[in-house]
Amino acid sequence: MNSFAVQARVPTGRIRLVDVRRRALLIAQLRVLLIGAVFVALAAAALLRIAYLGLVQPAPSERSMADALLPSRGEITDRNGLPLARAFPAYALWFNPVAMDDGGPPLVRSPEEVAAELKAIFPDLDEFAVARQLASGKAGYLRRRVLPEDANRVYAIGELALELPRETDRHYPQGTMAAHVLGYVEDGVGHVGMEAALDDRLRDPLRRGEPAALSIDARVQGALEDELKRGMLSVNAVGAAGIVLDVDTGEVLALASLPEFDPNKMDAEGQKHVFNKVTNQVYELGSTFKPLTVAAAIDSGAVTDLSRRYPATPFHVAGFTIRDSHPLGASLNVPETLIHSSNIVTAHIVDDLGAARFKQVMGDLGMNERPYIELPARGFPIWASGDWPRLRAMTVGYGHGLAVTPLHLASAYATMVNGGIWRPATLMKIEPGQANRGRRVFKASTSARMNQLLRMIAVYGTGRNANAPGFRVGGKTGSAEKPGAGGYNRSSLVSTFAAVFPMDRPRYVIIAMLDEPKAVAASSFQRTAAWNAAPIVRRLVPRIGPLLGVLPDETRDIDLTDLKPLVGDGSGE
Amino acid sequence: MTPHSRIRRVGWFAALAICAMLYLTLHLKVHAVRSEVIRAERQIVALEQQKLLLETEFQTRSNQLQLEEWNRVDFGYTAPSAAQFLENERQLASFGSPRAPGAPEPIRIAGSSGHAPEYPRLVSPLTGNPVDEELLEPDGRTRLSGVRLADGTMRIPLGAVVGSASQ
């Protein structure tokens, strides 16, 4: 009974047990299945991912090589392809105090220790200023330009807070050279020179891959700046300007304005020197205008006989007396006028020529408008409008009463010696045969005659100090008093030498100008151009001549035999 | 379905599978090559940038101002004078002077008259007689049989070199 009862109870319990076991088994199986399914799903996902990576995704994202190599701003080169300005990826040293991201101090070691380590890498670093900056916990540049090997050494310090971001930088490998031609870049925008003039082109993605070739020759530019600087320092001048111009194409081979600035490091000091003395500042350039006056007179037929003698005694006109710097005798002919630089005879020649005709020639030479050049800074000449009275024309004849830039003078001289064609000056390289047509101002015969006269000034006259042996230099000195408050200032001069070489086949015009030279021992205690500007040309021409394809030759010169009898032995009267 | 057709169907599947495998391999290969190309391009870009950097550094260190400084302080070079340039042969000849009467014959150093004298023969230091050719060239030695070409170059058959080397 009992057992039956038990027996009777057991089956139900067993059934329940079997039921439980079956269910447990089922659940277990289900779980295994589920886990298996998850694994299968994971494996499938992994396989799919592998398949996707291998088949669909085009490996690392593709980038065109040309895109990667396209500079962020176009390169500027000289005429021979030497880079003058280029964009290149540089490193900067940036202090990022939150780089550690742990709420602690930004540096592992003390700021002083880190500053000392940085000082070991960059010897010119201000250790205390850097330590102060590191201690202040303010983010900022520690240094704008870091060389790659120095960047590696900074990494080796092991401070996370010292970051070296790559920045695209504008770099001028030649330093201060040609600074006024190039200008500088600030926040991606070009200023002052060709950086401003070519800004659109340098930023255009289609054209910036190709370097912009300027007409500048870096070697000539270097020599011009060097000689100008030496000349400027030797006579204590406050500034200097110079230009080398190709007479046949109008290409500017060198253009310098001193004191210069450093486009790699623009600061307040640099900003003071940004003003371009060659294209923007107007000067009364004095006696350098006399050859232009004589050329205008010969061209119009006012002077047909060069041996004609003009009175050289003080000339009273309209209540004003025109004098020479020192008495030059009773009378002078035209070559002697240029050789001794007589204001009086030049005034007589202008009188014969006529003010209207003279004004027209000056206008044809571009003296009545801003100079033609790509630079944004171009000075407007002080040009008297309306009919010129007789006195005005006479003073302009010897370079007073008309203020122009040295570039105006260079273009006018190029016109006078190249056969009489005026061409606009340019800073862009011109392929051979592609020069501007220009306009005719003088006859070719006038130009040939002027070549002789300019050479005579350098052989017998005030330009003797510029006569570099073998280079057939011709040119004219000019020393003008600077206008100041209440008339001309006798002690401050602008001394200019306008030179052309070689005179037997003129190729280049050189203008060398000194602003307020002093009378010092180096210039034999003289202030005039013959003693300070002319020697600059004499030293410069032998340096640049062979580079420009003009070889010195003592056996060759322009024929002066027909004019030589007019000046006697060249020593004076 | 006959066993034959089943085999054929399996065969088709196998062919399809093999083609698919081959295609897959090719595809993977193409991708591998493409990523290699991209890596190479990146390397080129990196090297170009490095070149740019080095070039710029070189130009910065050798800028005109620096060269001028070296020239003035270290070397002291000056611009060449007119006497240092020669324009043509005539100018060069003008530096020479005609031979004075009674001066010795100029020594002629080199020239090509076209008729070279016969090459001197080796002379015995003891007898003073020309050395016998046979002494210099032992009997057994075979001469290299060269084939002279029209332009004067000589082609030597390989076998001859090997033969002479082995003796």
Side-chain angles (χ1 to χ4, degrees):
Chain A
M1 174 71 191
N2 193 14
S3 70
F4 178 77
V6 169
Q7 262 184 358
R9 251 187 292 154
V10 167
T12 54
R14 274 176 84 177
I15 287 164
R16 211 183 297 152
L17 257 178
V18 167
D19 199 34
V20 166
R21 272 183 66 190
R22 270 177 65 192
R23 204 181 297 161
L25 208 60
L26 203 69
I27 288 171
Q29 276 173 345
L30 266 173
R31 281 179 182 162
V32 167
L33 208 65
L34 206 68
I35 288 168
V38 167
F39 271 107
V40 166
L42 274 178
L47 270 176
L48 279 173
R49 178 75 183 141
I50 288 170
Y52 175 77
L53 284 180
L55 305 178
V56 182
Q57 201 192 39
S61 62
E62 214 165 336
R63 242 180 102 206
S64 159
M65 208 163 62
D67 273 355
L69 288 177
L70 188 69
S72 60
R73 189 178 170 86
E75 193 171 282
I76 299 179
T77 69
D78 81 338
R79 62 187 300 113
N80 303 315
L82 186 86
L84 298 175
R86 66 169 20 162
F88 86 116
Y91 294 99
L93 180 53
W94 172 265
F95 174 53
N96 179 10
V98 294
M100 291 280 268
D101 201 19
D102 60 354
L107 294 168
V108 179
R109 280 171 290 171
S110 73
E112 287 75 22
E113 275 177 90
V114 175
E117 292 232 24
L118 286 175
K119 168 92 177 167
I121 300 170
F122 310 108
D124 58 327
L125 202 74
D126 184 350
E127 195 180 335
F128 299 101
V130 169
R132 211 163 41 241
Q133 191 179 347
L134 293 174
S136 73
K138 270 188 213 148
Y141 281 107
L142 296 176
R143 220 177 154 82
R144 290 305 284 260
R145 284 202 177 91
V146 179
L147 286 175
E149 64 257 33
D150 291 337
N152 284 336
R153 291 169 68 192
V154 173
Y155 271 126
I157 296 177
E159 288 286 356
L160 282 181
L162 300 179
E163 292 182 347
L164 290 151
R166 284 204 102 159
E167 294 187 345
T168 311
D169 202 355
R170 194 71 168 161
H171 185 63
Y172 302 87
Q174 297 288 337
T176 58
M177 200 189 84
H180 286 92
V181 174
L182 295 170
Y184 62 98
V185 174
E186 212 169 59
D187 302 323
V189 181
H191 293 279
V192 178
M194 294 305 272
E195 293 274 24
L198 299 173
D199 202 38
D200 290 338
R201 183 198 157 151
L202 295 174
R203 287 199 283 177
D204 182 359
L206 292 177
R207 290 189 290 168
R208 69 185 183 212
E210 194 125 311
L214 301 188
S215 60
I216 295 286
D217 186 322
R219 303 164 301 175
V220 178
Q221 177 77 28
L224 175 68
E225 286 188 13
D226 181 53
E227 293 299 348
L228 271 181
K229 188 160 199 169
R230 199 198 296 188
M232 179 180 98
L233 294 179
S234 68
V235 296
N236 270 339
V238 297
I243 183 167
V244 180
L245 186 79
D246 188 318
V247 300
D248 292 321
T249 62
E251 287 174 286
V252 175
L253 289 157
L255 188 156
S257 172
L258 297 175
E260 73 279 42
F261 63 92
D262 187 356
N264 284 317
K265 199 179 105 193
M266 273 316 283
D267 48 17
E269 183 64 26
Q271 285 292 351
K272 276 195 284 185
H273 304 313
V274 155
F275 193 78
N276 191 335
K277 292 188 172 68
V278 182
T279 63
N280 209 358
Q281 175 75 59
V282 293
Y283 300 93
E284 294 184 44
L285 289 170
S287 309
T288 50
F289 268 56
K290 286 174 190 161
L292 299 173
T293 309
V294 170
I298 294 176
D299 203 61
S300 69
V303 170
T304 48
D305 180 8
L306 292 180
S307 65
R308 184 185 153 193
R309 301 192 76 81
Y310 296 84
T313 45
F315 188 12
H316 305 282
V317 54
F320 184 81
T321 308
I322 296 171
R323 297 171 199 280
D324 285 329
S325 56
H326 56 279
L328 293 168
S331 67
L332 295 170
N333 59 26
V334 175
E336 283 170 345
T337 303
L338 290 177
I339 286 170
H340 303 297
S341 194
S342 165
N343 296 341
I344 300 165
V345 179
T346 311
H348 283 295
I349 291 173
V350 173
D351 217 12
D352 290 353
L353 173 63
R357 168 75 188 158
F358 184 53
K359 188 186 173 193
Q360 191 212 324
V361 172
M362 286 289 149
D364 287 347
L365 289 170
M367 303 278 189
N368 57 357
E369 51 190 342
R370 291 182 195 277
Y372 278 86
I373 196 152
E374 288 83 355
L375 296 178
R378 289 173 295 138
F380 197 87
I382 300 176
W383 167 269
S385 55
D387 286 340
W388 283 358
R390 195 169 157 226
L391 179 62
R392 162 75 66 176
M394 286 176 179
T395 55
V396 169
Y398 57 86
H400 288 76
L402 170 59
V404 295
T405 67
L407 182 60
H408 278 111
L409 187 71
S411 287
Y413 264 69
T415 310
M416 187 166 61
V417 300
N418 73 1
I421 312 286
W422 181 90
R423 285 193 183 84
T426 178
L427 272 167
M428 298 306 291
K429 186 180 179 183
I430 293 177
E431 295 303 322
Q434 303 289 313
N436 285 307
R437 267 190 74 213
R439 61 171 180 251
R440 181 164 287 283
V441 180
F442 298 122
K443 298 183 192 102
S445 59
T446 308
S447 176
R449 186 60 92 188
M450 288 317 296
N451 290 348
Q452 286 179 306
L453 289 171
L454 285 175
R455 179 69 181 137
M456 288 184 92
I457 300 170
V459 176
Y460 307 117
T462 51
R464 262 174 296 193
N465 281 339
N467 193 10
F471 283 98
R472 296 92 79 194
V473 179
K476 180 79 189 79
T477 52
S479 310
E481 288 156 6
K482 278 176 104 172
Y488 287 96
N489 190 344
R490 284 210 166 270
S491 62
S492 66
L493 262 66
V494 171
S495 67
T496 314
F497 194 81
V500 183
F501 78 99
M503 249 12 279
D504 48 333
R505 190 320 197 178
R507 295 275 302 279
Y508 301 101
V509 166
I510 302 174
I511 306 285
M513 198 202 78
L514 291 171
D515 195 355
E516 295 187 26
K518 310 289 183 298
V520 294
S523 59
S524 309
F525 299 102
Q526 301 287 325
R527 253 194 298 265
T528 50
W531 301 96
N532 45 44
I536 293 176
V537 173
R538 190 188 54 214
R539 286 193 300 263
L540 178 66
V541 170
R543 285 181 65 177
I544 65 172
L547 296 175
L548 296 172
V550 178
L551 300 185
D553 193 342
E554 306 269 20
T555 61
R556 200 181 264 228
D557 207 337
I558 188 168
D559 185 10
L560 298 178
T561 44
D562 58 335
L563 293 181
K564 191 160 183 299
L566 299 182
V567 296
D569 61 353
S571 59
E573 302 307 319
Chain B
M1 194 183 277
T2 60
H4 192 73
S5 70
R6 186 182 297 161
I7 287 169
R8 196 190 289 163
R9 187 186 288 178
V10 169
W12 277 120
F13 273 115
L16 193 68
I18 288 167
C19 286
M21 285 287 290
L22 286 175
Y23 166 72
L24 203 72
T25 331
L26 187 69
H27 197 88
L28 285 173
K29 183 84 186 157
V30 167
H31 267 269
V33 169
R34 189 186 290 174
S35 26
E36 243 167 68
V37 167
I38 289 169
R39 196 182 308 138
E41 279 196 349
R42 281 183 175 181
Q43 212 172 344
I44 290 170
V45 169
L47 288 173
E48 284 284 346
Q49 280 175 348
Q50 206 178 343
K51 205 177 92 185
L52 190 83
L53 200 77
L54 290 172
E55 199 184 281
T56 311
E57 187 183 340
F58 180 78
Q59 271 152 8
T60 308
R61 288 184 195 275
S62 67
N63 66 37
Q64 291 290 328
L65 303 172
Q66 181 64 60
L67 294 179
E68 180 52 41
E69 193 99 334
W70 280 331
N71 184 18
R72 188 172 296 170
V73 177
D74 297 332
F75 304 121
Y77 294 143
T78 52
S81 67
Q84 288 168 271
F85 287 92
L86 272 185
E87 193 144 332
N88 46 34
E89 291 88 349
R90 198 173 288 239
Q91 208 178 347
L92 179 64
S94 73
F95 285 111
S97 51
R99 198 150 62 93
E105 279 287 323
I107 300 165
R108 302 194 59 161
I109 294 164
S112 65
S113 54
H115 310 288
E118 205 181 325
Y119 198 74
R121 298 176 68 191
L122 194 65
V123 176
S124 164
L126 297 175
T127 61
N129 296 329
V131 180
D132 194 10
E133 291 253 342
E134 289 297 304
L135 270 170
L136 296 173
E137 299 271 341
D139 295 340
R141 189 150 182 175
T142 51
R143 294 269 183 106
L144 297 180
S145 52
V147 182
R148 200 164 276 278
L149 296 175
D151 62 345
T153 55
M154 189 185 260
R155 180 175 290 167
I156 297 163
L158 255 180
V161 179
V162 172
S164 67
S166 62
Q167 278 170 4

